[in-house]
Amino acid sequence: MLLCIRTLLNRFRRDRAGLALIEFVFFFPVAAILLWGGLELGRYVLITQKIEKSGYVLGDVVSQFDSTQLTTSAVNTILTQYGSILRPYGTPAKQMVVFSSVTKDPVDHLIKIRWQRVGGGTLHNSDTVSIVSNLRTDAITSTVNGTEAQFTGDVQDLLVDMLDGENMIVTEVYFVYEPIFADLLGLTTSVTTTNKQFALLSRTLVRRTYFHPRNGDLNNPPV
């Protein structure tokens, strides 16, 4: 009996049939994860570069207007360019832009909001809160005009040397980054504010730029 068991064990040890398949079964998940991770990392880098470029380009364009040229129509046209820069990754439900004009009041020396404009998408969530007014993008209205800016401590410290009467355009761009295979894996959760299914692994990317107007102050709200 022992001899038969020993013979069977020796035969099993020498048999190599199916070994490659077993090795493949163990190796494939690792290879798939590495491939997926590499593709997703490259995609993430491209998206973040586009977002950073968007914040710079949009803010730079607004800062080149003078007070007579920067109308509501002009601002809306600039806002629509956000989607063009993000292409092919952007969709209205995943993106939003906020323009803000702030000035240091020469009387009370406080940094105050002259106006804010929102557009370029329909994204509204807990992350799309303006650093200027501390309001979510869907709550920003003309009532913020003339109120004190609500910059956080670190930004406020950077603006401490802002001169009385100095005007600045703040551009805030938002984008929901969603892993490309999230829907296939079923990693989605409902975002009630947009009625859009976003990945459980998604996150809102935010970039901000600060520009001084080049052709005179832009204190007057666009009309």
Side-chain angles (χ1 to χ4, degrees):
M1 182 67 177
L2 291 175
L3 180 61
C4 291
I5 294 175
R6 185 178 300 171
T7 301
L8 290 173
L9 290 175
N10 289 336
R11 183 182 302 172
F12 178 77
R13 186 173 64 250
R14 291 192 300 269
D15 193 349
R16 293 293 185 266
L19 182 60
L21 179 60
I22 295 174
E23 291 176 345
F24 176 77
V25 169
F26 281 104
F27 174 74
F28 178 76
V30 177
I33 291 174
L34 291 175
L35 177 61
W36 180 11
L39 291 174
E40 196 59 57
L41 178 61
R43 180 173 174 270
Y44 177 79
V45 170
L46 286 174
I47 289 174
T48 55
Q49 289 177 341
K50 281 180 173 289
I51 295 171
E52 290 172 357
K53 178 182 178 182
S54 299
Y56 180 86
V57 170
L58 297 177
D60 184 50
V61 170
V62 170
S63 70
Q64 295 183 47
F65 280 75
D66 62 34
S67 57
T68 61
Q69 297 172 329
L70 193 63
T71 62
T72 296
S73 176
V75 171
N76 291 337
T77 298
I78 298 170
L79 287 169
T80 60
Q81 297 308 306
Y82 185 36
S84 299
I85 300 174
L86 288 177
R87 194 175 295 147
Y89 304 107
T91 61
K94 292 184 179 181
Q95 62 197 46
M96 178 57 70
V97 182
V98 179
F99 287 135
S100 305
S101 174
V102 298
T103 301
K104 188 170 184 179
D105 195 306
V107 177
D108 56 21
H109 312 295
L110 298 175
I111 299 177
K112 294 185 177 180
I113 303 170
R114 295 308 181 189
W115 52 266
Q116 286 194 294
R117 290 293 184 273
V118 177
T122 59
L123 174 65
H124 306 295
N125 62 26
S126 59
D127 295 317
T128 60
V129 176
S130 171
I131 197 175
V132 179
S133 59
N134 198 32
L135 294 173
R136 211 171 77 161
T137 49
D138 55 349
I140 294 175
T141 66
S142 60
T143 59
V144 302
N145 297 355
T147 62
E148 183 180 357
Q150 302 297 311
F151 290 114
T152 55
D154 53 344
V155 178
Q156 187 72 42
D157 292 341
L158 293 174
L159 301 179
V160 67
D161 294 326
M162 196 170 177
L163 301 176
D164 286 344
E166 186 175 355
N167 182 218
M168 182 171 59
I169 299 297
V170 182
T171 303
E172 303 174 88
V173 293
Y174 305 88
F175 179 80
V176 170
Y177 164 75
E178 177 183 347
I180 194 170
F181 296 122
D183 285 334
L184 297 178
L185 297 178
L187 300 175
T188 57
T189 183
S190 178
V191 179
T192 56
T193 54
T194 60
N195 196 27
K196 165 69 179 176
Q197 292 292 107
F198 286 130
L200 190 62
L201 301 177
S202 68
R203 56 176 298 190
T204 303
L205 305 178
V206 184
R207 296 294 185 273
R208 298 180 174 93
T209 59
Y210 305 83
F211 281 89
H212 285 116
R214 303 180 188 180
N215 296 300
D217 294 337
L218 296 174
N219 288 324
N220 296 327
V223 294

